[in-house]
Amino acid sequence: VNPSHATDIYPDLLDDESDAAVKGLVGHLANIYRGVDAPVALRRSLEGPILASVKARQDLLARRKVRSRFSVKIGALMAAAALVLIVGVVGYAVAPLVDQLLAGERGAATLPMHAIGQTQTTNGITVTLDRAYADVNRVIVVYKIQVPAGFAHSTSGIDHKIQLTDTQGSTLPLIDASGLADEASHLSTGLVTFDAESLASGTDLTGKLTFLDVRARAQQLGGRELSAGAFTFTFSVPVASGREVTVSKTVVQKGVAVTLERVVITPSETRAYLRFPADAGIPDSGWSTYAHMSGSGWDSRQLPAFKGLITLGSSFMNGRGEHVQTFSGDFSGRHGEWTFTVDALFGSDTTVPNDQNGLPKQARIEGPWTFKFSL
Amino acid sequence: MQMVHSVVNADRPVSVPVQSEASDADALLVRNAQEHPEEFASLYERYFEAIYRYLQVRAGPADAADLTQQVFLKAFASLPKYRARGLPFSAWLFRIARNLATDHHRLSRRTPDELLPSVIQPNSAASPEDSALQTEMQLRLRSLIRNLDGDKRELLAMRFAGGLSSREIAAVIGKSEAAVKKQLTRILHTIKEKYSES
């Protein structure tokens, strides 16, 4: 980059810059940072796995168009085939499937899970409710499905086929699900997380976990599918208590008052409950928060992110109209002064059609709104 | 053979910063790639050099190629779930790269995350005197960059190696565009002062 052209290439840095030495410096920096080209071999090395993934997805899309009623099954198979490539690249260690699964869910490997070990078999398919954990933020269950030789089971799409209800018959909302399958041993295992906001700490959760429709596909092309129908397990686990801090503080920035009502810290997750009257023409439920937490010697943003997903938590609105910001991982060992910062509020309105660029109507209000409290 | 998948409840959207504008070109390429997987090649062509350069600074030349491959495989696998929601595709891709680089350093513990540009060979057509000057200039700049905080070195890596604009960097790290511009300007002036002194 010729320093005299730097302004054209870096307008965000140099449009308002009158110092010629800074312009020259930008040119020099560009040259040393951009002086190394990617090796030609890199492009070649990507061709194989990328093309294989593209082919798998093309097949998936083609089959969906032709036989939509089988889209879930074929989709699961093809998506899994594409993802096998990633597993190969990342180089998963050979370890029990459940251990691999727990390692992939942030903080799950260290949770005090309760062994359940209930097993049921129908039509040659054995479903095991392996272990479970509950606190006032999340319920996590781990299951295994063993199918006969010649068949395979994929946990993909399980989020539409699994339900957890409490003794009152209330269904706990599903948060997320993940799974692993080993076709050689015909075994698959899955981890499903449910929202536990409705549970009271210090009690036991007696839950009814229902697999609505368990099937196994034939490994041989054109082979018949094996159907085992529904499986229901009743189990009981203690609901681990968390630490709840009532903050009830309001901070006003840019004319927007944000109230941090309380923070609930449990081993599975930390949740901050907020209220704010953002509007900008976007419904209240369309607003979310971008936030982080910090304390003496720690910052939620510096913790390693959940492998494969680049987020430290999520943001949603609960049934009481509170905006809930969650942080994955175990912060229950953090004591002393906490600082909770809402960096920005953002709204995305999915109730109206997207614009011509395919983007929903959006708005953003910059903070920060900063709250301090002690634990 | 093992398979892995993950689903996330749509009621719990991933927290991402939002920008008021997005790249029209990227939006079109992403939409095409979501509908026609073979079009992913266009996104790859557009970004693989930038991702490689960024990872070369983050992880060194020995590992940058492997990490670049992982970034695009992850991006391809996650593309059907990608929704702009104000997060430009470039920022989304660099978030993947940034996290992979962080995981790489955390897991391998082989090399410190120096976030420094490589020393490149001077232009072969340059005179011996010019070559010496170019090399000296690079070494001086590297030395000044080394003295910056890690966060600042990362901003430089994203801006100059990755080619991200201040707006895109803001989306990657979750700050405002104004804050990123201000910080970059300060960094440039700090380096300039010390560069002039030396």
Side-chain angles (χ1 to χ4, degrees):
Chain A
V1 176
N2 185 323
S4 64
H5 298 150
T7 306
D8 297 331
I9 301 171
Y10 298 97
D12 57 331
L13 302 180
L14 299 176
D15 262 354
D16 301 321
E17 183 61 65
S18 56
D19 189 337
V22 172
K23 292 180 180 177
L25 174 64
V26 166
H28 291 318
L29 287 171
N31 286 332
I32 66 168
Y33 274 102
R34 298 173 62 84
V36 180
D37 290 328
V40 175
L42 174 61
R43 185 170 302 184
R44 283 203 300 272
S45 73
L46 276 168
E47 280 175 0
I50 291 285
L51 284 177
S53 299
V54 167
K55 178 73 169 55
R57 194 168 292 160
Q58 281 174 327
D59 289 350
L60 164 65
L61 292 174
R63 291 183 194 201
R64 270 187 179 158
K65 284 175 186 167
V66 176
R67 303 178 68 181
S68 61
R69 63 185 286 237
F70 293 121
S71 62
V72 171
K73 188 177 62 139
I74 294 169
L77 174 62
M78 291 299 138
L83 284 163
V84 161
L85 293 161
I86 293 171
V87 173
V89 170
V90 173
Y92 257 102
V94 177
L97 284 185
V98 171
D99 291 345
Q100 290 184 28
L101 195 59
L102 291 173
E105 176 76 14
R106 189 170 173 205
T110 55
L111 287 175
M113 290 265 185
H114 295 267
I116 306 294
Q118 292 183 27
T119 293
Q120 296 175 21
T121 301
T122 301
N123 206 14
I125 297 180
T126 298
V127 179
T128 301
L129 175 54
D130 187 71
R131 60 189 85 179
Y133 168 82
D135 62 33
V136 290
N137 283 333
R138 288 180 170 218
V139 174
I140 298 173
V141 296
V142 177
Y143 65 89
K144 293 190 282 193
I145 296 180
Q146 179 75 60
V147 299
F151 291 89
H153 174 267
S154 168
T155 56
S156 184
I158 196 74
D159 49 317
H160 299 298
K161 300 178 187 172
I162 194 166
Q163 276 184 358
L164 177 62
T165 55
D166 60 18
T167 46
Q168 284 77 44
S170 302
T171 301
L172 278 68
L174 185 143
I175 295 174
D176 61 21
S178 57
L180 286 169
D182 182 354
E183 291 205 358
S185 62
H186 315 285
L187 177 69
S188 62
T189 184
L191 182 151
V192 188
T193 305
F194 298 91
D195 188 307
E197 196 183 274
S198 60
L199 302 181
S201 63
T203 62
D204 282 355
L205 162 68
T206 299
K208 190 164 78 172
L209 184 72
T210 303
F211 296 81
L212 298 173
D213 184 14
V214 179
R215 295 165 186 248
R217 65 171 173 80
Q219 288 178 307
Q220 194 173 19
L221 200 62
R224 67 183 175 84
E225 186 181 69
L226 199 58
S227 177
F231 289 77
T232 298
F233 298 89
T234 301
F235 67 99
S236 189
V237 289
V239 180
S241 58
R243 289 187 294 163
E244 179 167 342
V245 184
T246 301
V247 182
S248 292
K249 287 181 181 170
T250 299
V251 175
V252 181
Q253 279 284 2
K254 307 272 177 66
V256 179
V258 174
T259 300
L260 175 60
E261 301 280 11
R262 65 191 191 283
V263 178
V264 178
I265 306 114
T266 67
S268 70
E269 167 175 282
T270 291
R271 293 185 177 190
Y273 291 82
L274 300 145
R275 290 186 187 276
F276 52 86
D279 188 339
I282 291 175
D284 203 19
S285 59
W287 285 90
S288 299
T289 47
Y290 191 82
H292 70 276
M293 306 183 297
S294 59
S296 177
W298 63 276
D299 189 314
S300 61
R301 293 169 300 184
Q302 293 176 1
L303 294 170
F306 169 64
K307 205 167 182 59
L309 284 180
I310 37 184
T311 178
L312 293 170
S314 61
S315 176
F316 65 101
M317 184 179 232
N318 67 13
R320 293 188 297 275
E322 293 170 307
H323 293 275
V324 185
Q325 173 73 52
T326 77
F327 295 89
S328 303
D330 185 2
F331 292 88
S332 59
R334 306 291 187 188
H335 294 276
E337 186 172 81
W338 284 39
T339 301
F340 177 82
T341 306
V342 178
D343 298 294
L345 308 176
F346 64 91
S348 182
D349 191 355
T350 54
T351 62
V352 296
N354 291 352
D355 66 15
Q356 58 192 19
N357 296 320
L359 299 172
K361 181 181 179 184
Q362 294 165 347
R364 178 181 175 114
I365 306 172
E366 293 292 341
W369 293 263
T370 303
F371 304 87
K372 291 186 183 295
F373 54 91
S374 292
L375 278 172
Chain B
M1 182 182 292
Q2 293 171 346
M3 298 174 280
V4 59
H5 78 98
S6 179
V7 294
V8 178
N9 191 326
D11 293 337
R12 292 179 49 134
V14 170
S15 294
V16 292
V18 169
Q19 290 184 300
S20 57
E21 295 173 18
S23 160
D24 291 353
D26 275 357
L28 188 61
L29 290 175
V30 168
R31 196 158 57 237
N32 283 345
Q34 286 174 326
E35 291 172 6
H36 308 287
E38 68 276 17
E39 294 294 332
F40 185 74
S42 302
L43 289 166
Y44 170 62
E45 286 293 330
R46 188 173 168 88
Y47 282 109
F48 96 98
E49 282 279 1
I51 291 289
Y52 174 83
R53 283 180 174 139
Y54 169 72
L55 289 170
Q56 206 257 352
V57 173
R58 288 293 310 265
D63 295 312
D66 280 347
L67 288 173
T68 302
Q69 183 167 351
Q70 290 181 41
V71 169
F72 282 95
L73 285 169
K74 276 180 180 288
F76 181 80
S78 302
L79 196 66
K81 291 188 290 187
Y82 169 73
R83 297 289 180 272
R85 289 178 184 160
L87 182 69
F89 177 78
S90 55
W92 181 73
L93 199 60
F94 270 83
R95 278 188 171 191
I96 296 175
R98 190 175 184 229
N99 281 277
L100 271 173
T102 302
D103 280 351
H104 168 76
H105 281 288
R106 184 170 53 85
L107 295 173
S108 71
R109 298 182 182 183
R110 278 185 298 175
T111 53
D113 196 353
E114 289 191 311
L115 284 156
L116 287 172
S118 300
V119 176
I120 54 175
Q121 291 297 316
N123 187 337
S124 57
S127 67
E129 291 80 4
D130 283 345
S131 293
L133 277 174
Q134 283 178 32
T135 302
E136 188 189 351
M137 180 269 291
Q138 286 186 51
L139 293 173
R140 279 162 60 194
L141 275 178
R142 272 174 57 91
S143 170
L144 294 173
I145 294 166
R146 181 181 277 115
N147 289 332
L148 297 171
D149 293 341
D151 289 349
K152 292 172 181 168
R153 279 180 276 148
E154 165 120 64
L155 284 183
L156 290 175
M158 283 194 274
R159 185 64 189 91
F160 292 101
L164 292 181
S165 67
S166 300
R167 180 182 293 265
E168 290 167 320
I169 293 171
V172 175
I173 65 176
K175 288 188 175 176
S176 69
E177 181 187 2
V180 170
K181 281 177 75 168
K182 194 172 178 181
Q183 201 167 4
L184 278 169
T185 302
R186 279 185 187 162
I187 293 168
L188 290 174
H189 279 266
T190 301
I191 295 176
K192 187 212 77 172
E193 294 300 331
K194 294 183 177 172
Y195 193 54
S196 304
E197 287 170 12
S198 62

